[in-house]
């Protein structure tokens, strides 16, 4: 090599090193080893059940948007209807063997005929919940919790419009018709079980003293009722006509529905634990038919000061803690039996854990909990669909309103005052604090516009860090300053350098990204990302209901 060549290469090297974002000489992307922290499940919260008479149990999966078949002997699960058509809150069999299910968020009533054809037979009924056929083949459904409280009669073939039978019964949930052609079901708002004459609309109480009764079914001889109380975790037998109650089995809280087999075995779904249990009413014994460890894992956070890298997990039906190294799952708070409000995102700081939910229709809120005790510190209603939320040093909350495209501040004072920091974002979902900045700022993922944006907290000034992404959701700051993002649209986990926008791929071909559902703001069930002090990356899988880690390879 000549001296000229040496001088040329030296000058080229100097220029390259001086240029920001010179990729040719940048350090190669670090390799990661993918590992399972908590194995997955077939469901994303299991709800309505029905025995099909062929040795199987039909199980509805609302957030996973699917209807499943469970073998009663083995517990093996198969999918009958996948997303997005199968968003079922409850499921029933028609006289001809057709399967019917209710779309709580979509407001659609669905039918799948024995030849496998699926179609909508009623729509524009938000909050569709329970359904049942009367002995003569007439079909009834209820609305509750999303703007209406009503009982409807529906044409099973979908040729006639639905007819409202009863208004404001008190949130009539999982019901069944009795041998007297009366409808028996729980009234959630009244804590009682009642019977309804669908011809006259007359409601008569059958049994009182429940906390959150969610469903009833007759026993195999159709003489008495089994009732499940979600808040107490109880299976109760109500003897008719006296209405006297007896406890059959004690179960975990979070029960959602039940079905009774021809042998009088009682199948009980639990949305919080995402499992199905079988109760033998003869002796009260309980066994698991389908077991899960997580329900709907979404947003996650790891405290930077935690050497054990405990993962705080927003599991939609519970707020949990998971050992990042050993995978042990601890219960922090469960919906229905505690004030916890369907957590879908979570962040953590030195004192508090902040959980937020994007549910719309009056269920959206932000909750601040004491990190040491788990006690609820404050609840802030947030009707615009809160995705990620961070608590700043002064107690102010910074919230990504995915539906409105705004980043807002919520004051620490009571009553809370909300002010807009920036608007016009393309579906903000994830937030990560820019902790090393001279002026405080936050990084935001925009699921609709495919950007990562840096927003300065003093004045809302923003800068695009990266663009051209496909549905970025979860975001976390690496200890070395890099950003780790779940790029859900491309099923991959990427690292982005905040100063240059340079992108490298950590993992691809990931099982993430359940399709969005009606009634939710952008981001739906967010894929969560967190990074521990060791540099290990944690990520949730909404498709598999699992938690993974990506460990740096030395």
């Amino acid at each position: 090599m000549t001296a000229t060549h040496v001088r040329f290469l030296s000058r080229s090297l100097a220029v390259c090193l001086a240029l920001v974002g010179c990729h040719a000489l940048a350090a190669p992307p670090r390799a990661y080893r993918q590992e399972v922290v908590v194995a997955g499940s077939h469901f994303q919260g299991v709800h309505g059940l029905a025995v099909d008479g062929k040795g199987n149990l039909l199980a509805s999966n609302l957030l996973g948007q699917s209807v499943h078949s469970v073998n009663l002997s083995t517990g093996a699960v198969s999918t009958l209807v996948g997303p997005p058509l199968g968003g079922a809150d409850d499921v029933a069999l028609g006289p001809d063997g057709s399967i019917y299910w209710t779309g709580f968020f979509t407001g659609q009533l669905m039918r799948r005929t024995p030849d496998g054809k699926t179609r909508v037979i009623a729509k524009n009924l938000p909050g569709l919940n329970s359904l049942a056929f009367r002995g003569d083949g007439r079909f009834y459904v209820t609305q509750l919790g999303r703007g209406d409280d009503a009982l409807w009669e529906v044409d099973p073939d979908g040729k006639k419009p639905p007819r409202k039978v009863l208004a404001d019964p008190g949130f009539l949930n999982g019901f069944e018709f009795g041998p007297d052609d009366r409808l028996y079901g729980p009234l959630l708002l009244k804590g009682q079980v009642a019977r309804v004459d669908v011809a006259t609309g007359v409601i008569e109480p059958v049994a009182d003293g429940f906390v959150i009764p969610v469903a009833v079914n007759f026993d195999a001889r159709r003489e008495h009722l089994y009732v499940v109380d979600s808040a107490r975790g109880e299976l109760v037998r109500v003897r008719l006509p006296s209405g006297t109650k007896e406890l059959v089995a004690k179960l975990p809280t979070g029960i959602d529905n039940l079905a009774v087999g021809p042998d009088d075995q009682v199948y009980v779904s639990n949305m919080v634990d995402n499992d199905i249990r079988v109760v033998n009413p003869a002796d009260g014994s309980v066994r698991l038919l389908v077991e899960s460890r997580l329900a709907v894992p979404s947003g996650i956070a790891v405290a930077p000061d935690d050497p054990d890298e405990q993962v705080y997990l927003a599991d939609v039906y519970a707020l949990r803690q998971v050992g990042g190294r050993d995978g042990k799952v601890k219960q922090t708070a469960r919906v229905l039996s505690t004030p916890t409000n369907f957590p879908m995102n979570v962040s953590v700081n030195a004192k508090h854990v902040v959980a937020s939910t994007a549910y719309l229709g009056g269920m959206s809120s932000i909750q601040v909990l004491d990190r040491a005790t788990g006690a609820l510190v404050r609840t802030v209603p947030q009707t615009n669909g809160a995705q990620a939320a961070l608590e700043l040093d002064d107690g102010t909350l910074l919230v990504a309103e995915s539906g409105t495209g705004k980043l807002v501040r919520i004051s620490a004072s009571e009553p809370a005052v909300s002010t807009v920091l920036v608007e016009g974002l393309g579906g903000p979902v994830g937030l990560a604090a820019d902790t090393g900045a001279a002026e405080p700022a936050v990084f935001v993922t925009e699921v609709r516009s495919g950007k990562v944006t840096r927003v300065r907290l003093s004045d809302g000034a923003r800068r695009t860090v990266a663009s051209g992404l496909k549905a970025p959701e979860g975001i976390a700051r690496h200890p070395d300053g890099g950003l780790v993002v779940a790029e859900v649209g491309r099923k991959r986990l990427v690292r982005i350098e905040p100063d240059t926008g340079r992108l490298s791929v950590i993992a691809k071909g990931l099982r993430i990204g359940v399709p969005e559902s009606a009634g939710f703001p952008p981001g739906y069930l967010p894929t969560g990302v967190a990074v521990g002090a060791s540099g290990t990356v944690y990520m949730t899988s909404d498709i598999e209901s699992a938690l993974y880690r990506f460990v740096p390879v030395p």
Side-chain angles (χ1 to χ4, degrees), residues 180-429:
D180 58 358
D181 277 342
R182 301 292 195 270
L183 185 156
Y184 290 76
L187 300 178
L188 269 68
L189 298 184
K190 299 179 180 180
Q192 69 177 202
V193 173
R195 62 174 154 253
V196 180
D197 186 330
V198 295
T200 65
V202 173
I203 302 176
E204 300 175 310
V206 171
D208 292 290
F210 298 96
V211 179
I212 304 182
V214 288
V216 310
N217 259 208
F218 278 88
D219 60 17
R221 297 177 64 180
R222 297 181 63 74
E223 293 179 339
H224 306 299
L225 282 173
Y226 289 114
V227 184
V228 284
D229 189 322
S230 187
R232 287 180 174 155
E234 294 179 347
L235 175 65
V236 176
R237 183 188 289 113
V238 174
R239 295 195 176 276
L240 301 177
S242 66
T244 57
K245 301 185 297 183
E246 58 181 315
L247 179 65
V248 176
K250 187 69 177 175
L251 297 159
T253 60
I255 298 167
D256 191 75
N257 217 310
L258 80 164
V260 180
D263 56 357
D264 217 28
Q265 298 295 289
V266 183
Y267 301 91
V268 180
S269 65
N270 189 305
M271 64 183 181
V272 177
D273 293 322
N274 201 20
D275 63 24
I276 301 173
R277 298 172 191 245
V278 187
V279 179
N280 183 349
D283 58 11
S285 60
V286 182
R287 66 178 175 86
L288 278 166
L289 179 65
V290 179
E291 183 177 10
S292 301
R293 297 182 63 203
L294 300 176
V296 195
S298 300
I300 54 176
V302 175
D305 59 353
D306 181 5
D308 295 327
E309 298 190 358
Q310 181 172 250
V311 179
Y312 290 84
L313 171 61
D315 207 14
V316 178
Y317 299 117
L319 184 63
R320 308 186 199 272
Q321 297 175 43
V322 181
R325 302 186 188 281
D326 58 19
K328 291 182 179 179
V329 180
K330 294 190 291 184
Q331 302 285 340
T332 300
R334 302 164 70 91
V335 300
L336 301 182
S337 58
T338 75
T340 303
N341 195 7
F342 300 97
M344 301 178 71
N345 253 301
V346 64
S347 63
V348 61
N349 58 28
K351 293 175 57 179
H352 294 145
V353 176
V354 180
S356 53
T357 178
Y359 270 127
L360 297 180
M363 292 187 287
S364 181
S365 70
I366 301 159
Q367 294 185 312
V368 181
L369 296 89
D370 186 278
R371 181 175 157 188
T373 67
L376 183 62
V377 175
R378 68 186 295 216
T379 297
V380 182
Q382 220 286 340
T383 57
N384 290 330
Q387 284 283 11
L390 299 177
E391 186 182 48
L392 305 180
D393 291 342
D394 62 357
T396 299
L397 294 170
L398 194 64
V399 182
E401 289 187 355
S402 186
T404 66
K406 298 176 182 178
L407 192 60
V408 302
R409 293 177 185 266
I410 298 177
S411 68
S413 60
E414 295 294 343
V417 178
S418 179
T419 56
V420 177
L421 176 63
V422 66
E423 54 188 339
L425 299 171
V429 172

Side-chain angles (χ1 to χ4, degrees), residues 144 149-150 166-173 186-191 203:
L144 60 89
D149 174 17
L166 190 62
D168 302 319
F171 279 20
L172 178 62
N173 206 0
L187 300 178
L188 269 68
L189 298 184
K190 299 179 180 180
I203 302 176

